[in-house]
């Protein structure tokens, strides 16, 4: 029979776990695990309890499935289960997170229900305007069985009375189990996270990052490409519009840079170009980056056209006036420059007023327009993020029941035939 030390060592290796992750998986302290891992001759050696030995004996022989909580430990720091930046991911962890999102699809599509987060409460703190991010975070948490408390705007929060981010963070931590924060200042969500051990998710920090949007964008690209028989490696992706202030593209260029040989076309007026450090980082990661100032130069033969809104609220008057009027993406532009299989995306909201310099509503019946598939994908992706950060992703498959109510097969009258709920 194998001794305790070799059994534990081999199991840990087979599962690809660090000592910390293994201890967390077994539900024991790191100190206890260390004492079980010592040679039997050592004075500090302890025999592991029978229940732990049983758990270790029952762990699968292959590398799959990974231990509960292990993915979280690979993209967060111990005791800091936050999602603040896409820089926390490598290609493996991002792919695994998207697999968890796939597993959430039956729930997101209203076929199944789960209660794995029953009793848990989310604080959704939005100090900047939001519709889809706030509602989809809330809906994702509810679809896992949890409940949501929302606050919107500074006006109705104690920050208007001068309360600091640190105090707000500590106070709210006493009430809930996870916190989503959107705030107009770059770096403010990281500051919020420094003052709590609860999971904090960045819902957009000024011109900084919007990591969950980039994750759902990546998920959308992957699903659209699966249908079209394409791979992300080697893809040509155009990002268009206000690349200087748009936090969604700041996160997306970083996240896509985890893949191989991406051809980035960055299409922006001179004053609104992508920050140079992000361009340099993409180039340093081996990608081709072309920066141009007109749609005609940037959109030919792209696999993905990712349009963005002018971030008026982050600009002064003159900068706004300097924005050229020919950044409107409509049927004519798509017809003359793009391919039949170009995927058209936008984080939304788009400016829907007639003649607006944004993604036009005349494309709404075009099946290439993926914007509502993209917003729908916010649910499984945000469910996956919560499930992983709260350590319940492995419980979901065991906890599924059929949804008893009737849901429509299609959500919107303009949805493409392949955009079905069923
Ligand atoms: C974006 C944001 O808030 O950064 N919206 C969103 O979350 N989908 C994009 C924008 O406001 O332009």
């Amino acid at each position: 029979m194998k001794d305790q030390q070799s059994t534990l060592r081999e199991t840990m290796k087979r599962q690809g776990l660090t000592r910390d992750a293994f201890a967390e998986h077994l539900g024991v302290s790191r100190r206890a695990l260390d004492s079980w891992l010592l040679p039997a001759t050592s004075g500090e050696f302890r025999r592991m309890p029978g229940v732990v030995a049983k758990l270790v004996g029952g762990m699968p022989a292959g590398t799959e499935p990974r231990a509960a909580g292990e993915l979280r430990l690979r993209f967060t720091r111990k005791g800091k289960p936050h999602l603040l930046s896409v820089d926390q991911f490598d290609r493996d962890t991002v792919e695994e997170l998207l697999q968890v999102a796939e597993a959430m699809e039956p729930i997101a599509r209203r076929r199944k229900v789960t209660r794995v987060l029953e009793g848990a409460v989310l604080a959704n703190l939005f100090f900047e305007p939001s519709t889809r991010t706030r509602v989809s975070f809330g809906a994702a948490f509810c679809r896992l069985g949890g409940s949501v408390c929302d606050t919107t705007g500074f006006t109705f929060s104690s920050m208007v009375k001068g309360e600091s981010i640190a105090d707000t963070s500590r106070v709210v931590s006493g009430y809930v189990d996870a916190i989503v924060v959107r705030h107009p200042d770059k770096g403010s969500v990281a500051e919020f996270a420094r003052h709590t051990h609860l999971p904090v998710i960045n819902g957009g920090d000024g011109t900084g990052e919007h990591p969950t949007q980039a994750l759902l964008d990546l998920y959308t690209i992957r699903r659209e490409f699966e249908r079209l028989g394409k791979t992300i490696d080697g893809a040509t992706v155009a990002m268009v519009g206000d690349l200087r202030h748009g936090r969604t593209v700041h996160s997306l260029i970083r996240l896509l840079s985890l893949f191989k040989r991406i051809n980035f076309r960055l299409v922006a007026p001179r004053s609104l170009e992508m920050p140079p450090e992000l361009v340099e980082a993409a180039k340093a990661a081996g990608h081709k980056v072309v920066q141009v100032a007109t749609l005609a130069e940037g959109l030919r033969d792209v696999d993905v056209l990712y349009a963005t809104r002018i971030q008026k609220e982050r600009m002064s008057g003159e900068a706004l006036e300097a924005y050229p009027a020919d950044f409107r993406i409509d049927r004519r532009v798509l017809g003359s420059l793009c391919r039949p299989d170009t995927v058209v995306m936008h984080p939304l909201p788009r400016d829907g007023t007639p003649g607006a310099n944004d993604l036009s509503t005349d494309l709404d019946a075009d099946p290439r327009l993926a914007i509502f598939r993209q917003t729908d994908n916010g649910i499984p992706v945000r469910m996956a993020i919560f499930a992983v950060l709260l350590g319940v992703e492995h419980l979901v498959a065991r906890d599924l029941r059929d949804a008893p109510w009737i849901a429509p097969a299609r959500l919107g009258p303009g949805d493409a035939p392949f955009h079905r709920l069923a």
Side-chain angles (χ1 to χ4, degrees):
M1 214 179 108
K2 240 184 249 148
D3 64 21
Q4 174 174 304
Q5 189 189 36
S6 339
T7 308
L8 288 171
R9 280 225 171 116
E10 280 167 26
T11 312
M12 217 160 44
K13 196 164 163 222
R14 217 170 48 221
Q15 299 290 321
L17 295 177
T18 60
R19 279 197 186 199
D20 279 335
F22 194 34
E24 175 147 335
H25 175 72
L26 295 174
V28 301
S29 69
R30 168 70 196 265
R31 245 178 93 178
L33 178 64
D34 287 346
S35 71
W36 305 335
L37 275 160
L38 290 168
T41 48
S42 154
E44 311 285 338
F45 169 81
R46 297 283 173 277
R47 189 148 292 288
M48 64 180 154
V51 307
V52 178
K54 239 186 175 161
L55 197 61
V56 173
M59 285 176 81
T63 49
E64 297 261 325
R66 288 192 181 269
E70 192 262 339
L71 175 55
R72 178 186 56 180
L73 286 174
R74 279 162 57 223
F75 74 86
T76 62
R77 278 196 297 121
K78 193 173 158 54
K80 290 280 171 192
H82 308 316
L83 174 46
L84 303 174
S85 162
V86 291
D87 286 347
Q88 291 174 224
F89 292 97
D90 57 27
R91 180 151 176 182
D92 285 347
T93 47
V94 82
E95 299 261 19
E96 282 174 48
L97 184 71
L98 298 193
Q99 272 170 25
V100 178
E102 284 282 347
M104 300 296 176
E105 284 288 346
I107 309 168
R109 288 168 183 260
R110 290 85 151 159
R111 295 283 162 252
K112 298 281 179 187
V113 287
T114 179
R115 310 295 308 161
V116 287
L117 284 188
E118 187 163 21
V121 179
L122 171 73
N124 228 355
L125 309 182
F126 278 70
F127 302 108
E128 257 196 348
S130 173
T131 302
R132 74 222 80 240
T133 306
R134 185 169 54 84
V135 176
S136 70
F137 266 122
F141 205 80
C142 291
R143 288 199 185 277
L144 287 166
S147 313
V148 182
C149 299
D150 262 325
T151 90
T152 44
F154 283 101
T155 330
F156 299 106
S157 87
S158 283
M159 286 207 193
V160 87
K161 300 179 188 168
E163 186 164 59
S164 67
I165 287 184
D167 282 3
T168 309
S169 171
R170 176 58 190 87
V171 169
V172 175
S173 301
Y175 305 151
V176 300
D177 304 288
I179 308 171
V180 177
V181 186
R182 169 172 284 189
H183 192 284
D185 298 336
K186 187 173 173 178
S188 54
V189 185
E191 161 73 1
F192 194 103
R194 268 194 286 282
H195 299 280
T196 177
H197 290 306
L198 293 186
V200 173
I201 300 171
N202 183 358
D205 62 323
T207 57
E209 276 217 49
H210 196 344
T212 65
Q213 178 71 42
L215 287 163
L216 78 87
D217 291 339
L218 181 64
Y219 184 76
T220 303
I221 295 172
R222 206 178 69 171
R223 284 178 76 88
E224 297 286 316
F225 277 18
E226 265 163 22
R227 180 171 54 77
L228 298 166
K230 296 184 180 185
T231 59
I232 299 182
D233 290 326
T236 301
V237 179
M239 297 185 189
V240 183
D242 182 356
L243 307 186
R244 178 172 173 199
H245 304 100
R247 55 194 171 200
T248 63
V249 283
H250 296 170
S251 289
L252 187 59
I253 190 169
R254 288 170 157 123
L255 200 59
L256 282 171
S257 293
L258 297 176
F259 289 77
K260 295 196 189 99
R261 303 179 317 279
I262 307 287
N263 294 304
F264 288 110
R265 306 254 188 92
L266 304 181
V267 190
R270 293 273 174 251
S271 57
L272 298 177
E273 283 173 347
M274 182 71 84
E277 64 276 14
L278 295 181
V279 174
E280 288 319 310
K283 285 183 183 165
H287 305 290
K288 193 169 160 204
V289 185
V290 174
Q291 291 184 276
V292 291
T294 64
L295 298 181
E297 292 168 284
L299 296 192
R300 206 165 288 284
D301 282 335
V302 297
D303 295 300
V304 177
L305 188 177
Y306 191 98
T308 63
R309 178 179 70 87
I310 314 167
Q311 307 277 301
K312 292 181 193 155
E313 69 276 30
R314 308 194 200 282
M315 285 184 205
S316 63
E318 322 85 73
L320 199 51
E321 276 154 31
Y323 195 83
D326 50 7
F327 267 66
R328 182 179 165 80
I329 295 165
D330 56 14
R331 212 183 282 172
R332 189 185 54 81
V333 167
L334 221 62
S336 63
L337 297 173
C338 295
R339 292 196 309 233
D341 63 354
T342 299
V343 177
V344 181
M345 297 172 62
H346 192 302
L348 301 183
R350 58 179 161 165
D351 185 347
T353 50
N357 205 8
D358 204 330
L359 185 62
S360 166
T361 49
D362 77 355
L363 284 168
D364 284 6
D366 191 317
R368 289 174 288 186
L369 191 75
I371 56 175
F372 299 119
R373 299 192 285 281
Q374 194 181 349
T375 50
D376 289 354
N377 287 338
I379 296 291
V381 170
R382 292 189 167 117
M383 287 177 74
I385 292 165
F386 285 131
V388 168
L389 290 181
L390 289 158
V392 295
E393 76 273 23
H394 60 299
L395 300 178
V396 174
R398 285 184 236 156
D399 186 68
L400 290 180
R401 280 181 295 117
D402 287 341
W405 67 88
I406 298 168
R410 282 207 213 174
L411 295 173
D415 290 356
F418 49 82
H419 184 193
R420 294 179 66 81
L421 270 186

